[in-house]
Amino acid sequence: MKINHLFYGFLTLTFLFASCSKDEILDPVTSESSDLQEQVSSKALKPIGSGVMMQAFYWDVPAGGTWWNVIKGKVSSWSNAGVDAIWLPPASKAQNGAFSMGYDPFDYYDFGQYNQMGSTETRFGSKSELESLISRAHNNGLSVIADIVINHNSGGDLESNEFAGKSTYTKFTPLSGKFNRTKYDFHPNDQYSSDSGFFGGFPDLSHNKPYVQDWLWKRSNSVAKYYKNTMKFDGWRFDYVKGFAPWVPREFNRAVGGFAVGEYWDGNVNTLNWWVNEAQMSAFDFGCYYKMRDAFMGNNLNALSGDMLWKRNASRAVTFVANHDTDEIINNKILAYAYILTHEGYPALFYRDYEDWLDKNKLNNLIWIHNNLAGGSTTNLWTDNDEYIAKRNGGGGKNGLIVYINNSNSWKERWVETNWSSRRIKDYTGSSGWEPVTQGGRWVKIQAPPKGYSVWSLK
């Protein structure tokens, strides 16, 4: 989550805040999993985790109400490439109206149909255009992930607040007529002084208040149920989950089901693993992100031996190379994508990397490799400063693979032990023309190009 140039009261606040990681992401024993499976069956959607997620926006996408239609025009090709879900930016009306990226929420039920906060449409378009986009995505088998911002609100009117000892902008009377809020619904209030964290001085929702819980997930027309049942969203990306206890998104998700992932911005894998277990959902794998940054920006692939969430809890790890908040892996970025698209976890693609900055053919090839070959557990075969080799051991109808990442300036070759005896293999990236036959003892020599990678599996 990031907020730029938002007007709060009479004071202009400028933020550049970075808060925003296949095997299946869903735990089959949870109620939310069964709910999602029913949705998948009824809508003929691809199971989430069978492909990759597309982050369908970047910071400061063009204003003017065109973005929903831009994405609508891309979902068919994304689906054909192997994407199974799209993550949209916060879709409801925010304080900055037509200029807001949505991370300063005002009216959770205004998707571009009410004239308030200076505009009718949101930055991204109208409610009808959003509904059309979601329908087009569903018709192409894609789940649609909503970005849920429930830590803080913005745009309220000034009211006298004895709990804060001053007047505060905590009186919310949205035109939708739903989820009106006052000083009793934010921190501090008559019962609770604070929770896990405030953001940027904005009014901080008090999730322990029954009224807030009712409107967020308990009522028949709660935010959660309106998003799912009326707007037809299929899952949830929870913003800035450090700002509230993990039971909050857990209860939200239990009320409606669906895939869910939290933005717990922390490279400490112990903390990430604690959070996913408490919240009972996935998290973005910042542990993996920072290790890849060290490996590829620091030109030392030994960093890939470090701890990551996918190594602890692969079914709860959403891996990524960049997003709308952070894009530090500039050098050798395609090598980072080769890493997450061949390893465990549920990989997410960043819109600008796919559409604007990197070789789309190479990314499509890696998506195909992920969806068709990358099954089973992971075994490290070799790691040093310039070379990294690992194998996926196969499973779930997939043969597995061996990925060879070469960060040096020359071709590299190594003997590796495969899971295949006396079988011909090939490089599915096309970088190498070799088609060797593994020895009876399953050993074989493979190669990788300079500043490149190869991915080997049965021919």
Side-chain angles (χ1 to χ4, degrees), residues 184-195:
Y184 294 97
D185 306 312
F186 299 95
H187 296 120
N189 55 54
D190 56 334
Q191 292 180 278
Y192 306 100
S193 61
S194 64
D195 62 359

PDB file of all heavy atoms in Angstrom, residues 184-195:
ATOM      1  N   TYR A 184     -16.797   6.890  17.631  1.00  0.00           N
ATOM      2  CA  TYR A 184     -16.884   5.656  18.409  1.00  0.00           C
ATOM      3  C   TYR A 184     -16.324   4.448  17.658  1.00  0.00           C
ATOM      4  O   TYR A 184     -16.101   3.386  18.251  1.00  0.00           O
ATOM      5  CB  TYR A 184     -18.341   5.388  18.798  1.00  0.00           C
ATOM      6  CG  TYR A 184     -18.892   6.406  19.753  1.00  0.00           C
ATOM      7  CD1 TYR A 184     -19.649   7.482  19.296  1.00  0.00           C
ATOM      8  CD2 TYR A 184     -18.643   6.318  21.126  1.00  0.00           C
ATOM      9  CE1 TYR A 184     -20.148   8.436  20.161  1.00  0.00           C
ATOM     10  CE2 TYR A 184     -19.141   7.258  22.005  1.00  0.00           C
ATOM     11  CZ  TYR A 184     -19.884   8.324  21.518  1.00  0.00           C
ATOM     12  OH  TYR A 184     -20.374   9.267  22.390  1.00  0.00           O
ATOM     13  N   ASP A 185     -16.088   4.601  16.370  1.00  0.00           N
ATOM     14  CA  ASP A 185     -15.657   3.481  15.529  1.00  0.00           C
ATOM     15  C   ASP A 185     -14.171   3.505  15.203  1.00  0.00           C
ATOM     16  O   ASP A 185     -13.679   2.624  14.497  1.00  0.00           O
ATOM     17  CB  ASP A 185     -16.462   3.489  14.223  1.00  0.00           C
ATOM     18  CG  ASP A 185     -17.954   3.504  14.488  1.00  0.00           C
ATOM     19  OD1 ASP A 185     -18.398   2.690  15.318  1.00  0.00           O
ATOM     20  OD2 ASP A 185     -18.653   4.347  13.895  1.00  0.00           O
ATOM     21  N   PHE A 186     -13.463   4.531  15.727  1.00  0.00           N
ATOM     22  CA  PHE A 186     -12.038   4.672  15.469  1.00  0.00           C
ATOM     23  C   PHE A 186     -11.286   4.748  16.799  1.00  0.00           C
ATOM     24  O   PHE A 186     -11.886   4.906  17.862  1.00  0.00           O
ATOM     25  CB  PHE A 186     -11.772   5.930  14.637  1.00  0.00           C
ATOM     26  CG  PHE A 186     -12.438   5.921  13.295  1.00  0.00           C
ATOM     27  CD1 PHE A 186     -13.681   6.526  13.104  1.00  0.00           C
ATOM     28  CD2 PHE A 186     -11.844   5.295  12.211  1.00  0.00           C
ATOM     29  CE1 PHE A 186     -14.302   6.512  11.861  1.00  0.00           C
ATOM     30  CE2 PHE A 186     -12.451   5.267  10.966  1.00  0.00           C
ATOM     31  CZ  PHE A 186     -13.689   5.881  10.789  1.00  0.00           C
ATOM     32  N   HIS A 187      -9.973   4.631  16.730  1.00  0.00           N
ATOM     33  CA  HIS A 187      -9.133   4.759  17.926  1.00  0.00           C
ATOM     34  C   HIS A 187      -8.650   6.197  18.092  1.00  0.00           C
ATOM     35  O   HIS A 187      -8.298   6.810  17.073  1.00  0.00           O
ATOM     36  CB  HIS A 187      -7.910   3.838  17.827  1.00  0.00           C
ATOM     37  CG  HIS A 187      -8.243   2.391  17.786  1.00  0.00           C
ATOM     38  ND1 HIS A 187      -7.898   1.587  16.728  1.00  0.00           N
ATOM     39  CD2 HIS A 187      -8.906   1.581  18.671  1.00  0.00           C
ATOM     40  CE1 HIS A 187      -8.306   0.358  16.955  1.00  0.00           C
ATOM     41  NE2 HIS A 187      -8.938   0.323  18.123  1.00  0.00           N
ATOM     42  N   PRO A 188      -8.605   6.697  19.348  1.00  0.00           N
ATOM     43  CA  PRO A 188      -9.151   6.083  20.561  1.00  0.00           C
ATOM     44  C   PRO A 188     -10.655   6.296  20.645  1.00  0.00           C
ATOM     45  O   PRO A 188     -11.187   7.235  20.042  1.00  0.00           O
ATOM     46  CB  PRO A 188      -8.425   6.839  21.670  1.00  0.00           C
ATOM     47  CG  PRO A 188      -8.178   8.195  21.087  1.00  0.00           C
ATOM     48  CD  PRO A 188      -7.925   7.974  19.616  1.00  0.00           C
ATOM     49  N   ASN A 189     -11.356   5.427  21.401  1.00  0.00           N
ATOM     50  CA  ASN A 189     -12.799   5.572  21.564  1.00  0.00           C
ATOM     51  C   ASN A 189     -13.179   5.276  23.008  1.00  0.00           C
ATOM     52  O   ASN A 189     -12.307   5.241  23.885  1.00  0.00           O
ATOM     53  CB  ASN A 189     -13.538   4.668  20.577  1.00  0.00           C
ATOM     54  CG  ASN A 189     -13.118   3.202  20.685  1.00  0.00           C
ATOM     55  OD1 ASN A 189     -13.160   2.606  21.769  1.00  0.00           O
ATOM     56  ND2 ASN A 189     -12.695   2.627  19.560  1.00  0.00           N
ATOM     57  N   ASP A 190     -14.441   5.063  23.260  1.00  0.00           N
ATOM     58  CA  ASP A 190     -14.913   4.879  24.628  1.00  0.00           C
ATOM     59  C   ASP A 190     -14.458   3.570  25.256  1.00  0.00           C
ATOM     60  O   ASP A 190     -14.565   3.402  26.477  1.00  0.00           O
ATOM     61  CB  ASP A 190     -16.440   4.973  24.686  1.00  0.00           C
ATOM     62  CG  ASP A 190     -17.122   3.983  23.751  1.00  0.00           C
ATOM     63  OD1 ASP A 190     -16.512   3.583  22.736  1.00  0.00           O
ATOM     64  OD2 ASP A 190     -18.281   3.601  24.026  1.00  0.00           O
ATOM     65  N   GLN A 191     -13.924   2.619  24.421  1.00  0.00           N
ATOM     66  CA  GLN A 191     -13.511   1.322  24.961  1.00  0.00           C
ATOM     67  C   GLN A 191     -12.061   0.956  24.651  1.00  0.00           C
ATOM     68  O   GLN A 191     -11.426   0.267  25.437  1.00  0.00           O
ATOM     69  CB  GLN A 191     -14.428   0.211  24.411  1.00  0.00           C
ATOM     70  CG  GLN A 191     -15.859   0.279  24.912  1.00  0.00           C
ATOM     71  CD  GLN A 191     -16.694  -0.844  24.319  1.00  0.00           C
ATOM     72  OE1 GLN A 191     -17.187  -0.760  23.191  1.00  0.00           O
ATOM     73  NE2 GLN A 191     -16.844  -1.910  25.085  1.00  0.00           N
ATOM     74  N   TYR A 192     -11.546   1.390  23.528  1.00  0.00           N
ATOM     75  CA  TYR A 192     -10.229   0.937  23.088  1.00  0.00           C
ATOM     76  C   TYR A 192      -9.378   2.138  22.669  1.00  0.00           C
ATOM     77  O   TYR A 192      -9.822   2.986  21.897  1.00  0.00           O
ATOM     78  CB  TYR A 192     -10.350  -0.032  21.911  1.00  0.00           C
ATOM     79  CG  TYR A 192     -11.273  -1.195  22.195  1.00  0.00           C
ATOM     80  CD1 TYR A 192     -12.588  -1.192  21.725  1.00  0.00           C
ATOM     81  CD2 TYR A 192     -10.835  -2.288  22.946  1.00  0.00           C
ATOM     82  CE1 TYR A 192     -13.435  -2.256  21.984  1.00  0.00           C
ATOM     83  CE2 TYR A 192     -11.684  -3.357  23.215  1.00  0.00           C
ATOM     84  CZ  TYR A 192     -12.981  -3.331  22.727  1.00  0.00           C
ATOM     85  OH  TYR A 192     -13.827  -4.387  23.003  1.00  0.00           O
ATOM     86  N   SER A 193      -8.157   2.160  23.160  1.00  0.00           N
ATOM     87  CA  SER A 193      -7.279   3.285  22.839  1.00  0.00           C
ATOM     88  C   SER A 193      -6.531   3.097  21.532  1.00  0.00           C
ATOM     89  O   SER A 193      -6.240   4.075  20.827  1.00  0.00           O
ATOM     90  CB  SER A 193      -6.266   3.508  23.970  1.00  0.00           C
ATOM     91  OG  SER A 193      -5.455   2.357  24.152  1.00  0.00           O
ATOM     92  N   SER A 194      -6.201   1.849  21.185  1.00  0.00           N
ATOM     93  CA  SER A 194      -5.424   1.602  19.968  1.00  0.00           C
ATOM     94  C   SER A 194      -5.479   0.120  19.633  1.00  0.00           C
ATOM     95  O   SER A 194      -5.995  -0.696  20.400  1.00  0.00           O
ATOM     96  CB  SER A 194      -3.967   2.040  20.154  1.00  0.00           C
ATOM     97  OG  SER A 194      -3.337   1.259  21.147  1.00  0.00           O
ATOM     98  N   ASP A 195      -4.929  -0.209  18.467  1.00  0.00           N
ATOM     99  CA  ASP A 195      -4.735  -1.619  18.108  1.00  0.00           C
ATOM    100  C   ASP A 195      -3.300  -1.793  17.637  1.00  0.00           C
ATOM    101  O   ASP A 195      -2.405  -1.091  18.110  1.00  0.00           O
ATOM    102  CB  ASP A 195      -5.775  -2.079  17.083  1.00  0.00           C
ATOM    103  CG  ASP A 195      -5.695  -1.328  15.762  1.00  0.00           C
ATOM    104  OD1 ASP A 195      -4.839  -0.420  15.617  1.00  0.00           O
ATOM    105  OD2 ASP A 195      -6.496  -1.631  14.852  1.00  0.00           O
TER     106      ASP A 195
END
